[in-house]
């Protein structure tokens, strides 16, 4: 009897980019060992100790956004290895506030900035009755590259969130981005038939302050450095150019959410002008949501001495 071919942890877009970059066979073999359809116990314990989770999802108009869910450590629980429960609410005014329901794809990133540890989990919402209950499709770890270490502390907000919405970046927001050393990306792809490789991904990007360029009020240029060769984000964007971005003002708790579309610059002369970049993600911004006083948490840089 012919053996059933094992299902790849990557969808067609990710596989196409892996072939283009000459890593297809080796990363497939490696990923089959480390990409799991459940949460290992160490990941379950890691998430339970975090005071925040990065979440990527689509709103009711199918636009991708990235947000932070924040609460006391313990707000993330894993009742069993195939489920994750997040008992927290989006801040009022957040782009994903009131937007999610059962069946929605969700990408989650648990990241501990101080230790530069990060793990990812992708799945679908099975209930919103008490927080977000997620059925796990894929779970895997990421390396600590490009993470800027920061310690968190609880900050009790006494001021209501201040929400600013627009369809382009203001001068102040552009400067905020130009001085940032961290951002989070939301992307996704879902094909016609069910597969664990489909869904949303939440991903971290970091670099020296100023690594993201703002060329005008609607356009960002994000250098894409060498990584784990999964090409989850790039592979998603090849299939579906819609993209969400999140910038966090770690000292004040402000968040800046963007949604729009992306194109990949694979090898133009512009790529060489961004030191270390392998390619560029050029983002056209379509909507902006800035929320001040939104997070009950603050971060401070960790001494590198």
């Amino acid at each position: 009897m012919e053996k059933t071919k094992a299902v790849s942890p990557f969808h067609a877009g990710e596989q196409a980019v892996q072939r283009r970059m000459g890593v297809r066979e080796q990363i497939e073999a490696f990923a089959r060992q480390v990409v799991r359809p459940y949460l290992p116990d160490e990941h379950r314990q890691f998430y339970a100790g975090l005071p925040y989770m990065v979440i990527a999802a689509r709103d009711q108009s199918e636009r991708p956004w990235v947000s932070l869910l924040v609460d006391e450590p313990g707000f993330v629980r894993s009742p069993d290895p195939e489920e994750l429960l997040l008992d927290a609410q989006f801040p009022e005014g957040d782009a994903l506030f009131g937007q999610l329901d059962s069946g929605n794809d969700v990408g989650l990133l648990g990241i501990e900035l101080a230790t530069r540890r990060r793990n990812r989990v992708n799945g679908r919402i099975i209930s919103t009755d008490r927080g977000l209950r997620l059925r796990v499709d894929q779970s895997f770890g990421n390396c600590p590259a490009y993470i800027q270490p920061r310690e968190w502390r609880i900050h009790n907000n006494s001021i209501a969130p201040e929400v600013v919405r627009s369809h382009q970046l203001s001068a102040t927001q552009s400067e905020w981005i130009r001085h940032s050393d961290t951002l989070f990306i939301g992307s996704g792809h879902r094909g016609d038939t069910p597969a664990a490789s489909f869904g949303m991904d939440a991903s971290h990007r970091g670099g020296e302050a100023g690594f993201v360029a703002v060329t005008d009020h609607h356009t960002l240029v994000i250098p894409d450095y060498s990584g784990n060769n999964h090409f989850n984000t790039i592979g998603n964007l090849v299939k579906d150019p819609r993209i969400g971005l999140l910038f966090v003002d770690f000292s004040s708790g402000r968040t800046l959410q963007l949604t729009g579309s992306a194109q990949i610059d694979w090898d133009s002369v512009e790529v060489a002008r961004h030191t270390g970049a392998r390619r560029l993600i050029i983002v056209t911004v379509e909507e902006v949501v800035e929320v001040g006083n939104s997070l009950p948490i603050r971060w401070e840089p960790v001494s590198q001495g």
Side-chain angles (χ1 to χ4, degrees):
M1 180 183 295
E2 183 180 355
K3 292 184 179 180
T4 302
K5 185 178 180 181
V7 176
S8 174
F10 302 112
H11 62 67
E14 294 162 330
Q15 293 181 28
V17 178
Q18 292 162 6
R19 290 190 190 94
R20 178 175 187 140
M21 305 312 299
V23 299
R24 175 76 191 107
E25 292 185 5
Q26 54 266 47
I27 199 60
E28 177 74 22
F30 175 73
R32 286 179 186 242
Q33 301 176 51
V34 300
V35 178
R36 306 174 177 93
Y38 62 89
L39 294 169
D41 287 343
E42 62 182 287
H43 288 205
R44 298 170 73 194
Q45 295 165 7
F46 173 66
Y47 294 135
L50 294 176
Y52 55 91
M53 289 282 282
V54 182
I55 178 170
R58 299 189 190 278
D59 64 16
Q60 294 178 3
S61 298
E62 294 296 312
R63 300 174 302 175
W65 297 92
V66 188
S67 185
L68 282 182
L69 281 171
V70 181
D71 213 310
E72 295 281 352
F75 84 95
V76 182
R77 295 185 290 111
S78 176
D80 64 65
E82 296 181 347
E83 288 190 12
L84 200 63
L85 175 64
L86 293 85
D87 188 12
Q89 302 293 324
F90 293 104
E92 189 170 350
D94 186 278
L96 290 176
F97 179 80
Q99 296 293 308
L100 302 188
D101 206 346
S102 298
N104 288 163
D105 291 319
V106 170
L108 294 172
L109 171 66
I111 184 167
E112 193 173 59
L113 295 175
T115 62
R116 301 169 66 229
R117 182 182 176 189
R118 56 179 163 174
N119 293 311
R120 287 164 62 173
V121 54
N122 304 337
R124 304 192 82 174
I125 297 173
I126 56 177
S127 173
T128 58
D129 292 341
R130 299 178 63 184
L132 297 178
R133 186 177 292 271
L134 179 77
R135 173 69 66 181
V136 175
D137 285 333
Q138 288 188 335
S139 172
F140 54 98
N142 274 162
C143 73
Y146 311 113
I147 298 176
Q148 309 298 327
R150 289 180 167 90
E151 294 276 7
W152 64 270
R153 59 181 172 82
I154 294 295
H155 178 85
N156 295 317
N157 278 339
S158 58
I159 305 174
E162 301 174 352
V163 183
V164 177
R165 291 177 176 264
S166 67
H167 294 285
Q168 66 177 22
L169 294 166
S170 68
T172 301
Q173 292 165 343
S174 296
E175 283 304 298
W176 175 353
I177 293 171
R178 289 189 180 106
H179 288 88
S180 294
D181 60 19
T182 301
L183 67 91
F184 302 99
I185 297 181
S187 62
H189 166 61
R190 178 158 291 282
D192 296 329
T193 57
S197 58
F198 294 151
M200 292 294 294
D201 283 290
S203 179
H204 163 276
R205 291 291 191 277
E208 295 294 328
F211 78 106
V212 180
V214 183
T215 59
D216 59 47
H217 294 306
H218 290 279
T219 311
L220 307 183
V221 179
I222 305 170
D224 194 51
Y225 304 122
S226 61
N228 61 7
N229 288 333
H230 287 201
F231 295 109
N232 302 120
T233 298
I234 301 297
N236 286 337
L237 295 175
V238 165
K239 286 290 188 178
D240 185 338
R242 291 174 294 182
I243 190 171
L245 303 177
L246 171 68
F247 293 87
V248 179
D249 184 332
F250 294 104
S251 63
S252 73
R254 289 187 302 159
T255 58
L256 182 64
Q257 298 169 286
L258 314 177
T259 193
S261 62
Q263 61 181 14
I264 310 302
D265 181 345
W266 297 98
D267 51 14
S268 79
V269 294
E270 285 298 317
V271 177
R273 295 176 183 172
H274 295 259
T275 304
R278 301 298 180 89
R279 70 213 119 249
L280 303 176
I281 303 174
I282 303 171
V283 179
T284 300
V285 176
E286 296 170 3
E287 187 166 349
V288 179
V289 177
E290 179 182 343
V291 186
N293 305 312
S294 64
L295 302 177
I297 193 171
R298 301 290 186 269
W299 291 260
E300 297 175 354
V302 174
S303 171
Q304 297 297 291

